[in-house]
Amino acid sequence: MAIMSIADAYKSAIREEMRRDPSVYCIGEDEDIPGGMGGAFTVTKGLGDEFGANVRVALESGGFAFKGTENIGDDRVINTPISEILISGVCVGSAMAGMRPVADLQYGDFLFCMMDQLVNQAAKMCYMSDGKVHVPMVMRAPCGATNRGAQHAQSLESYFIHVPGLKVICPSTPYDAKGMMKQAIRDENPVLVFEHKLLYGGKRKEAGQLSATGEVPEEDYTIPFGQAAIRREGKDITIVANMLMWYKAMQAAEELEKENISCEIIDPRTLVPFDYDTVTKSLKKTGKLMIVHEDTYTGGWGAQLASWVAENAITLLDAPVVRVATPDTPIPFCPTLESYVIPSQQRIAEAARKLAKL
């Protein structure tokens, strides 16, 4: 076992997969240029020392500087211009041709710049080709509010769980980060990896950053998608929360335990496919469901879970489903206002107290 941050766990997974499979490569802005960060959050820093750094994808003569499969052992850390539409286009095309790109977006918000390639091309290609064409690509998307304003702070998971053909995962521990990233790279079709900026624990420090370090096996392992993790056993209330929010839910649960309110905390880990079975088993014990996410209240992934429970497990509930989420407003730039709108330990605990009384 090794003690790693989430950022280092992602890096370890990508490095091991690049060693194992010569078709795996990294692409993005500032991937590993001299003096650079290694992406916005240090995840790819140092990979170029082993796999060939400083290759610039250039829009010259209608082509780019990737050398192709005859030189596959080198230049697999590709720095690009600031153009997400370029990154996604290269990823889709090279994945269809047999490569396995791992794209690093500086901020998940920039997924909107590549919606056509991602939603209309990558997600649908396997279906439209009757399973003959696969698009094994990974999009790493940092998300969450970190005092950067409305265009660099969104939680976008819910936009993409609606798209058939995309898998959507949200690792939140170093163990999960490594195992699920390996699983994503080996998947035959596109996977979106949402990574909360306050959980990286890398060299780039953030206000409010958690020290999310943990033990990570040194041997090869993967974590199958669609398996939730029970982070805390409980008997009174089931709380389903992902990424940063389950950490806050854990803090709230410890506070509530002193008041004889026992909360079971479930981290879904993957939103597509979703592990409804684990939630159902928990509700058989507790009879009460609370969903916590950083995304906005209307149309968040919690709405889908609440709807599924209403249709398939309503008889298990002793009270209405409660959701704790961000109000339907852009994320404020002002740190005080940002802290006000994002779900907090206090808001989660207060909502649980009210639910416990029902």
Side-chain angles (χ1 to χ4, degrees), residues 2 29 40 64 73 81 84 100 128 139 144 157 186 194-195 217 221 224 233 300 312 327 348 357:
E29 301 154 11
F64 53 89
E84 286 73 24
R100 291 183 179 271
M128 293 176 66
M139 286 284 174
E157 309 95 283
R186 298 179 190 184
F194 285 98
E195 308 169 3
Y221 73 99
E233 298 278 353
N312 297 278
I348 297 169
K357 295 177 181 178

Side-chain angles (χ1 to χ4, degrees), residues 92 95 111 119 194 234 247 329:
V92 174
L111 283 165
V119 173
F194 285 98
Y247 286 88
T329 179

Side-chain angles (χ1 to χ4, degrees), residues 163-180:
V163 181
L166 295 179
K167 294 183 177 70
V168 180
I169 68 174
C170 306
S172 54
T173 69
Y175 177 83
D176 291 349
K178 184 173 181 179
M180 296 177 74

Side-chain angles (χ1 to χ4, degrees), residues 74-143:
D74 301 309
D75 298 341
R76 286 193 285 150
V77 180
I78 302 176
N79 297 304
T80 75
I82 300 176
S83 175
E84 286 73 24
I85 194 169
L86 163 67
I87 295 169
S88 58
V90 171
C91 285
V92 174
S94 65
M96 290 174 62
M99 304 297 292
R100 291 183 179 271
V102 180
D104 181 354
L105 304 184
Q106 296 239 338
Y107 295 93
D109 311 66
F110 304 155
L111 283 165
F112 292 129
C113 298
M114 56 175 67
M115 288 294 278
D116 182 63
Q117 289 95 329
L118 189 58
V119 173
N120 283 333
Q121 309 303 327
K124 296 175 174 60
M125 193 57 63
C126 183
Y127 176 82
M128 293 176 66
S129 68
D130 193 25
K132 296 180 176 64
V133 179
H134 295 276
V135 188
M137 56 184 277
V138 176
M139 286 284 174
R140 296 183 40 247
C143 64

Side-chain angles (χ1 to χ4, degrees), residues 238-242 264 266 268 274 279 289-292 301 305:
T238 297
I239 301 179
V240 183
N242 70 327
E264 182 150 294
I266 297 175
F274 196 92
V279 175
L289 175 62
M290 176 187 295
I291 305 163
V292 185
W301 63 261
L305 175 55

Side-chain angles (χ1 to χ4, degrees), residues 241-277:
N242 70 327
M243 292 190 289
L244 181 66
M245 290 299 111
W246 82 256
Y247 286 88
K248 293 187 177 183
M250 288 286 283
Q251 295 169 344
E254 292 173 5
E255 175 184 339
L256 293 164
E257 191 70 30
K258 300 174 184 177
E259 305 170 26
N260 295 318
I261 300 173
S262 175
C263 298
E264 182 150 294
I265 311 296
I266 297 175
D267 175 4
R269 300 198 292 187
T270 67
L271 299 181
V272 180
F274 196 92
D275 183 0
Y276 293 106
D277 287 344

Side-chain angles (χ1 to χ4, degrees), residues 271-310:
L271 299 181
V272 180
F274 196 92
D275 183 0
Y276 293 106
D277 287 344
T278 294
V279 175
T280 301
K281 290 175 183 177
S282 179
L283 290 177
K284 289 178 180 178
K285 291 193 299 179
T286 67
K288 293 182 170 65
L289 175 62
M290 176 187 295
I291 305 163
V292 185
H293 57 62
E294 191 171 323
D295 197 2
T296 50
Y297 184 85
T298 300
W301 63 261
Q304 164 61 23
L305 175 55
S307 176
W308 186 93
V309 170

